[in-house]
Amino acid sequence: MARNGATPVSLNGAGRTARPRHLSPFFYGWWIVTAGFGSMAMSGALMFHAFGVYVVFLQDEFGWSRTTLAVAFALQRVESGLLGPIDGWLVDHFGPRKMMFVGIVIFGVGFMLLSVTNGLPMFYLAFLVLAVGAALGSFMPASVAVVNWFIKKRATALAWMMLGLAGGGLAAPLVAAGMETFGWRAFSFASGVIIMVIGLPLAALLRHHPEDYGWRPDGETTPEAGISHSGMDGFEADSAPPAAPEREYSFNARQALRTQAFWLIGIGHGLSLVVIGAVNVHFIAHVHESLGFSVTIAASMLTIMTVTQVVGQMAGGYLGDRYDKRLLIVVAMLFNAGALGLLAFAGSLWMVVAFAILNGIGFGARIPLTTALRADYFGGKYYGTITGFSSMVVTVGIIIGPLAAGFSYDYLGSYTLGFASLALIASFGAFIFMFTKKPVHPDARRLQPTFPAPEPPEAPSQVPVATR
C-alpha cells in the first residue's frame, strides 16, 4: 500500500504493469525545482545581492560605520544559525509548503519594517525579521523538498534551483538604479510587496515526499512493479520490472551529530563562507570608495560575478552527479580564496573583473555541491533538521567575514589585511573537506552480512621418510 494514500500499483490483464492516470507526463520534481528557483531569485535580488547597495545608502543617510552595518548582517546570520534547528524541524514536521507560506509573509513584512527605519535599533530589528523570513521563505523549504524528490540527479536539481540566487544577482544594476531613482525606503517597501505577490504562488507548488503523490525520486520506476513516472499518460505498460534503486539511509539529527563528517562539513563550509560574507557586505563599498569607481560600475561587477556563478553552478551540478563531490568542493573553495586574495591587492579594474570571474565560478560550483554532499551523507528524511543544526556551525564563518573586513577598514583604513587574512582562512577550510568520509548508518551496519572467519589451513601431515 502506498504511503499516505498514494495510488497503489496494479497489474493489467496481460500481467504487465500499468501506469496510473492521475500523474502528469512531466516529473513533478522539476516543478519544485522551479518554485525553489523563483524563491531563491527573489531572495538573491532583493536581499542577498542588494545588501551591499543598502550599505552605501544607509551610510550616507545615517553616517554609520562599516562595522556597525556589518553587525546587522552578522545579527541576521546569528539568528539564522540559532533558529536553524527549529526552522529545519518545522519544515521536516509540517512540510516545506506550509512553512514557505509563513516565511514569505514574514520576509515581506521585514522589508516593510526596513523601509520605515529611523535608527539603529529599528534597523537591527528589521534585519532580524528578514533573517527569519529568508530562512523559512526560500532556501530551507525549497532545498528540503528538492533533496527528497531527487537522489541520483540531486546535485543537478539543486544547481538548477540555486541558479535563482545567481539570477537574482543579474538584477543588481537594476536594484542599484532603483534605489538611486526612487530612494532606498520606497524600494524596500516595494520589495516586500513583490515578495508576497510572487512568493505565495511559488510556495503553493512545493511538495514534501514524492511517494505521497505516487512518484519515486528522480521520476524512476518503482522497484516492485516497474512503473515509470518519467512519462505517464494513460495506461502504458512496461515489459519488465527494472532493478530496485539503491536504498538511501536517513540519519536523524542525533545520529548525524555523532559523526565526524557532520562537523567536518560544517566547519569547512563555514570557513568558505568568510569570503561570501565579506564580499556580500563590503564589495560595492570597496569598489566604489576605495577604488574610486561608481556604484553602477561596482554593481556591474556583481553582474559579471553572477554570470560566472551560473557557469560554476551548472558545472558543479553536472560534475557533482558524476565525480567525487569532496574534491570538486576543494577546487571551488580555492577559487573563492584566490579571488579574495586578488581583490585584497586590486589596484585596477581588470583585477576586480578577474576577482568577479574567479569568485563567481567558485561560489556557484560550491553551492549545490555542499548541499548535495550533506544530503548524500545523511539522507533526505531529516535533512531540514540536520541542515538547521549545521547552520549553527556554518554561521560562524559568514559572521567572521564581514566583521573582520569591516574592522580592517575602520581601524586600518584599508580592506587589504582583512581580505588577505580571510583568503588564508578560506584556503584552510577547503582542505578540511579532504578528510570527510561518508558515515555508515547504524541500520546499514546492522544489515551488513557477517561471515565466519576462515579456518586456518591444516598443517601438512608429517610423513616419516623411509631410510635406505
Side-chain angles (χ1 to χ4, degrees):
M1 189 71 179
R3 54 179 290 189
N4 295 343
T7 301
V9 177
S10 59
L11 297 175
N12 60 18
R16 299 161 74 187
T17 60
R19 296 187 175 101
R21 293 182 182 274
H22 74 287
L23 293 177
S24 166
F26 184 73
F27 179 49
Y28 192 81
W30 294 111
W31 285 115
I32 294 175
V33 171
T34 302
F37 174 94
S39 68
M40 296 286 288
M42 288 192 304
S43 178
L46 301 177
M47 183 177 177
F48 186 81
H49 294 292
F51 187 86
V53 184
Y54 278 111
V55 165
V56 174
F57 288 96
L58 289 167
Q59 188 177 31
D60 288 343
E61 180 169 336
F62 295 102
W64 296 330
S65 69
R66 302 290 172 82
T67 303
T68 299
L69 291 167
V71 165
F73 185 82
L75 285 175
Q76 176 194 355
R77 303 313 306 176
V78 167
E79 184 182 39
S80 297
L82 293 177
L83 295 180
I86 299 175
D87 293 341
W89 181 85
L90 288 172
V91 173
D92 284 340
H93 187 73
F94 293 104
R97 178 171 47 176
K98 292 180 180 178
M99 297 318 301
M100 183 178 267
F101 274 126
V102 174
I104 288 294
V105 173
I106 296 174
F107 202 17
V109 170
F111 275 106
M112 294 175 183
L113 286 175
L114 179 62
S115 71
V116 295
T117 293
N118 54 12
L120 202 56
M122 185 69 175
F123 174 63
Y124 287 160
L125 174 63
F127 264 86
L128 290 177
V129 175
L130 284 170
V132 176
L136 289 177
S138 182
F139 173 75
M140 179 67 80
S143 62
V144 167
V146 169
V147 300
N148 277 283
W149 281 74
F150 293 90
I151 296 178
K152 291 183 179 179
K153 301 175 183 176
R154 182 173 281 161
T156 300
L158 287 169
W160 278 105
M161 183 197 85
M162 294 177 183
L163 206 60
L165 188 63
L170 292 175
L174 295 177
V175 169
M179 290 191 197
E180 288 179 332
T181 303
F182 303 105
W184 68 269
R185 292 182 184 276
F187 187 87
S188 178
F189 188 88
S191 297
V193 175
I194 291 170
I195 282 173
M196 291 189 190
V197 171
I198 298 178
L200 293 176
L202 291 176
L205 293 174
L206 293 191
R207 301 291 187 274
H208 200 174
H209 298 289
E211 295 85 354
D212 296 340
Y213 303 92
W215 299 93
R216 289 191 61 82
D218 299 295
E220 289 190 342
T221 55
T222 57
E224 67 278 7
I227 293 185
S228 173
H229 295 312
S230 59
M232 293 189 174
D233 189 11
F235 283 90
E236 301 175 24
D238 293 328
S239 58
E246 181 183 354
R247 179 178 178 183
E248 180 178 67
Y249 291 92
S250 290
F251 288 72
N252 60 37
R254 180 177 298 180
Q255 292 168 334
L257 286 167
R258 291 176 178 173
T259 66
Q260 184 185 61
F262 173 88
W263 297 102
L264 290 178
I265 292 175
I267 294 171
H269 189 182
L271 293 181
S272 75
L273 291 183
V274 299
V275 176
I276 306 307
V279 170
N280 191 46
V281 176
H282 299 285
F283 176 73
I284 289 182
H286 174 57
V287 174
H288 173 53
E289 297 182 6
S290 301
L291 302 181
F293 298 103
S294 68
V295 174
T296 304
I297 290 179
S300 11
M301 293 300 103
L302 290 180
T303 303
I304 294 175
M305 200 183 309
T306 301
V307 171
T308 54
Q309 181 183 330
V310 170
V311 175
Q313 274 185 253
M314 300 317 299
Y318 176 83
L319 296 174
D321 285 331
R322 292 162 176 80
Y323 302 102
D324 190 339
K325 293 181 180 67
R326 296 178 309 151
L327 298 179
L328 295 172
I329 289 171
V330 170
V331 173
M333 289 174 60
L334 290 177
F335 268 54
N336 287 145
L340 189 62
L342 184 62
L343 183 64
F345 301 99
S348 58
L349 186 60
W350 76 265
M351 297 180 74
V352 180
V353 172
F355 156 81
I357 294 173
L358 291 174
N359 191 64
I361 293 174
F363 178 47
R366 183 195 53 75
I367 293 177
L369 289 171
T370 50
T371 305
L373 184 71
R374 188 176 288 112
D376 289 350
Y377 279 18
F378 302 111
K381 186 175 182 181
Y382 305 101
Y383 174 80
T385 307
I386 293 171
T387 300
F389 276 104
S390 182
S391 69
M392 298 180 70
V393 182
V394 171
T395 294
V396 175
I398 206 166
I399 291 172
I400 290 174
L403 289 178
F407 181 86
S408 174
Y409 182 86
D410 287 339
Y411 293 94
L412 300 177
S414 169
Y415 283 113
T416 301
L417 180 61
F419 284 169
S421 301
L422 293 174
L424 290 175
I425 292 174
S427 299
F428 176 72
F431 290 103
I432 289 180
F433 276 94
M434 294 294 295
F435 300 97
T436 60
K437 294 182 180 179
K438 185 174 183 178
V440 179
H441 192 278
D443 290 345
R445 188 180 296 113
R446 285 194 296 269
L447 293 175
Q448 286 178 346
T450 56
F451 301 96
E455 296 181 0
E458 295 182 1
S461 57
Q462 300 296 323
V463 179
V465 179
T467 57
R468 290 185 180 180

